[in-house]
Amino acid sequence: KQEVTQIPAALSVPEGENLVLNCSFTDSAIYNLQWFRQDPGKGLTSLLLIQSSQREQTSGRLNASLDKSSGRSTLYIAASQPGDSATYLCAVGNNAGNMLTFGGGTRLMVKP
Amino acid sequence: DTAVSQTPKYLVTQMGNDKSIKCEQNLGHDTMYWYKQDSKKFLKIMFSYNNKELIINETVPNRFSPKSPDKAHLNLHINSLELGDSAVYFCASSQFLGGDTQYFGPGTRLTVL
């Protein structure tokens, strides 16, 4: 059974810092990996999707990497801003591609 | 235009009641999902439907019955509500089954008293 772990559970940084969020998963037979953002009381917004054959994806200040063999993904946020404050969730798609298993999330606070 | 919408946003009800949550997507997607986010914020898949056909039922009690009248709608009916059903329920959709970005609705916060 796939298990997804995110470290750290919470992170507080001053504005402008570059930061890395970590995600690890136990079963490397994945279809894809997706990073989401969740604001308090809101739904999830998809940030980046990495297919199992890819090593990384970039969108603006965000860069996500995937090392399937070691069961790890990282989300790199450059030049963090207060508006980046949210919970970031990593989700792994199973081999059939028909369900996502979520990590517990990293709650990020960027201080002005 | 809201891509994935859910109604109601909040639902407060007594134990033993039956309630429904509605979900609609206007993205033209084939696949829809229901997820449950508990008080510890863990998100877990409950059901996935592809072209109105049930694909996954992830060990959800029989009291939960999804209904998909068409590809754009996936409603969740819950019988005999229990305290442990209190959670936020999210609907999501993706263009096709397997390997595609999932788009989430705003969630329905269910509180069972």
Side-chain angles (χ1 to χ4, degrees):
Chain A
K1 183 185 174 184
Q2 180 74 269
E3 292 183 6
V4 182
T5 304
Q6 290 186 245
I7 294 173
L11 182 61
S12 180
V13 299
E15 182 176 5
E17 270 202 12
N18 302 324
L19 54 100
V20 175
L21 308 182
N22 296 294
C23 172
S24 61
F25 45 95
T26 54
D27 186 352
S28 61
I30 68 169
Y31 201 94
N32 58 22
L33 186 143
Q34 202 163 352
W35 282 94
F36 292 89
R37 168 187 174 138
Q38 185 175 27
D39 292 284
K42 300 285 178 64
L44 279 67
T45 301
S46 179
L47 298 173
L48 291 163
L49 170 71
I50 310 177
Q51 302 292 354
S52 63
S53 58
Q54 297 175 322
R55 297 283 294 186
E56 66 176 345
Q57 282 287 338
T58 299
S59 175
R61 293 183 294 109
L62 306 179
N63 175 278
S65 68
L66 173 64
D67 184 342
K68 209 171 68 161
S69 59
S70 67
R72 294 179 189 278
S73 175
T74 60
L75 179 66
Y76 176 82
I77 303 178
S80 58
Q81 303 170 358
D84 295 331
S85 298
T87 296
Y88 290 80
L89 294 160
C90 165
V92 175
N94 67 344
N95 216 15
N98 57 14
M99 64 176 278
L100 292 175
T101 302
F102 280 83
T106 294
R107 195 169 62 254
L108 174 66
M109 170 78 73
V110 180
K111 300 177 184 175
Chain B
D1 276 347
T2 304
V4 183
S5 59
Q6 296 178 228
T7 54
K9 190 171 174 60
Y10 300 97
L11 187 51
V12 181
T13 188
Q14 300 285 335
M15 275 177 57
N17 283 350
D18 302 338
K19 290 293 178 185
S20 291
I21 306 172
K22 294 186 177 180
C23 178
E24 176 181 2
Q25 53 94 4
N26 62 8
L27 298 166
H29 288 171
D30 284 350
T31 311
M32 296 185 73
Y33 312 82
W34 276 109
Y35 290 86
K36 178 180 179 180
Q37 188 172 41
D38 61 25
S39 57
K40 294 184 179 179
K41 306 298 183 187
F42 281 101
L43 258 167
K44 289 186 181 178
I45 183 80
M46 298 175 68
F47 301 102
S48 68
Y49 267 72
N50 189 55
N51 280 319
K52 302 192 302 175
E53 184 180 333
L54 177 67
I55 302 299
I56 280 187
N57 174 341
E58 193 64 12
T59 62
V60 180
N62 291 338
R63 298 182 296 103
F64 291 78
S65 53
K67 294 276 193 304
S68 182
D70 54 59
K71 276 194 338 181
H73 296 85
L74 181 62
N75 304 322
L76 184 64
H77 188 75
I78 315 170
N79 289 326
S80 304
L81 278 156
E82 300 177 356
L83 292 177
D85 297 332
S86 295
V88 181
Y89 291 84
F90 288 99
C91 176
S93 74
S94 62
Q95 187 169 3
F96 54 86
L97 185 66
D100 195 24
T101 300
Q102 291 190 20
Y103 296 86
F104 280 71
T108 295
R109 181 174 294 277
L110 171 64
T111 303
V112 182
L113 303 175

